[in-house]
């Protein structure tokens, strides 16, 4: 089922389901040019963000075999919502997942995306028994690629001008980590 059974805590963050009261904080993220720079979207109004929040609130979210877990990322010390992440997977024999997300620019560069991704990998591999988890980024999105590499994802592909996004041809990078690599990584962290 695509739902966190309980909030999950990392050193600095709580990962929890979204709430209708998250609208203002979520709008303060998605109304910005810089956040949308490498996303498919343009800066969004409060009403547009409300629509996407309502979609997140309709969890458990499943379309056919595809499950999407939407995760609100909150700073533990202030209880402020700073991020919107997801883990998506298909309930079939391929056991493939995908992670992605955005943080408010006020907290960029503090390792919080990596901290969130690490927790989502645990959810995907430990709870949902996935075999491989990937991420897709605009090839110019250095911060995103770096945060994913920090938690062990490796570049598998660089697709050249495979998409036409907001008026220009763009390259896409695909990164991924397999269960065996995640297990090795976890064992070395526990040592
Ligand atoms: C992608 C995103 C979540 C990363 O958040 P973050 O807080 O910067 O991530 P982290 O601090 O965990 O890691 C970022 C890493 O990239 C590095 N980095 C950031 N900008 C960089 C740049 N322009 N060039 C090189 N490295 C860069 C940081 O130094 C850090 O690496 P380090 O810890 O080794 O120093 C954030 O930039 C974001 O929300 N962007 C807007 C939405 C978006 O593009 N989402 C991703 C869609 S695929």
């Amino acid at each position: 089922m695509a739902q966190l059974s309980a909030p999950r805590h990392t050193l600095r963050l709580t990962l929890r389901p979204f709430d209708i009261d998250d609208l203002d904080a979520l709008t303060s993220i998605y109304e910005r040019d810089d956040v949308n720079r490498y996303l498919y979207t343009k800066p969004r109004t409060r009403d547009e963000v409300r629509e996407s929040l309502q979609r997140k609130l309709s969890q458990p979210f499943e379309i056919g075999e595809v499950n999407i877990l939407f995760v609100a990322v909150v700073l533990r010390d202030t209880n402020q919502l700073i991020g919107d992440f997801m883990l998506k997977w298909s309930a079939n024999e391929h056991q493939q997942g995908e992670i992605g997300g955005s943080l408010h620019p006020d907290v960029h560069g503090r390792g919080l995306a990596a901290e969130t991704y690490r927790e989502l990998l645990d959810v995907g591999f430990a709870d949902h028994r996935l075999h491989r988890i990937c991420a897709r980024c605009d090839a110019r999105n250095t911060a995103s690629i770096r945060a994913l590499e920090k938690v062990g994802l490796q570049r598998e592909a660089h697709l050249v001008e495979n998409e036409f996004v907001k008026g220009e041809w763009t390259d896409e990078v695909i990164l991924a980590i397999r269960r065996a690599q995640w297990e090795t990584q976890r064992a070395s962290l526990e040592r």
Side-chain angles (χ1 to χ4, degrees):
M1 180 187 286
Q3 205 159 18
L4 281 178
S5 47
R8 296 178 69 110
H9 303 290
T10 66
L11 190 62
R12 294 172 290 176
L13 303 170
T14 297
L15 275 53
R16 61 156 173 79
F18 278 95
D19 186 276
I20 192 66
D21 294 337
D22 294 328
L23 179 59
D24 288 341
L26 209 53
T27 303
S28 76
I29 298 175
Y30 287 117
E31 69 187 0
R32 297 179 59 122
D33 281 328
D34 49 2
V35 168
N36 288 278
R37 175 75 183 92
Y38 298 126
L39 302 181
Y40 295 119
T41 45
K42 293 186 174 156
R44 278 169 261 175
T45 63
R46 194 166 188 274
D47 283 345
E48 288 166 337
V49 175
R50 183 186 287 109
E51 248 175 65
S52 70
L53 178 59
Q54 271 159 354
R55 187 164 164 264
K56 295 180 203 302
L57 293 174
S58 66
Q59 289 195 66
F61 197 89
E62 295 164 18
I63 310 171
E65 287 180 335
V66 180
N67 295 275
I68 309 179
L69 178 68
F70 295 110
V71 175
V73 179
V74 173
L75 283 177
R76 284 179 77 164
D77 56 358
T78 60
N79 209 27
Q80 182 195 354
L81 181 136
I82 52 151
D84 171 18
F85 280 68
M86 66 91 197
L87 167 69
K88 181 161 93 175
W89 71 98
S90 295
N92 59 27
E93 71 275 24
H94 306 301
Q95 296 167 268
Q96 301 291 307
E98 184 176 337
I99 50 177
S102 301
L103 286 177
H104 194 289
D106 284 356
V107 298
H108 283 183
R110 289 166 47 185
L112 295 172
E115 197 166 315
T116 306
Y117 283 139
R118 198 168 285 121
E119 195 65 18
L120 289 180
L121 293 181
D122 289 353
V123 175
F125 286 123
D127 297 2
H128 297 293
R129 310 298 302 163
L130 298 177
H131 178 71
R132 174 179 166 276
I133 296 178
C134 76
R136 299 162 179 278
C137 310
D138 187 306
R140 298 165 296 181
N141 197 344
T142 318
S144 180
I145 293 170
R146 176 79 194 114
L148 291 158
E149 286 177 336
K150 282 198 297 184
V151 298
L153 278 82
Q154 294 171 349
R155 287 178 200 236
E156 289 188 342
H158 182 131
L159 309 178
V160 180
E161 296 190 6
N162 68 317
E163 292 182 314
F164 190 73
V165 184
K166 292 184 265 190
E168 58 182 337
W169 289 106
T170 60
D171 290 9
E172 185 178 34
V173 168
I174 297 172
L175 304 99
I177 181 170
R178 280 167 286 121
R179 160 176 290 283
Q181 296 170 306
W182 169 77
E183 281 169 354
T184 307
Q185 196 168 280
R186 240 173 56 138
S188 70
L189 283 178
E190 281 162 12
R191 233 180 276 136

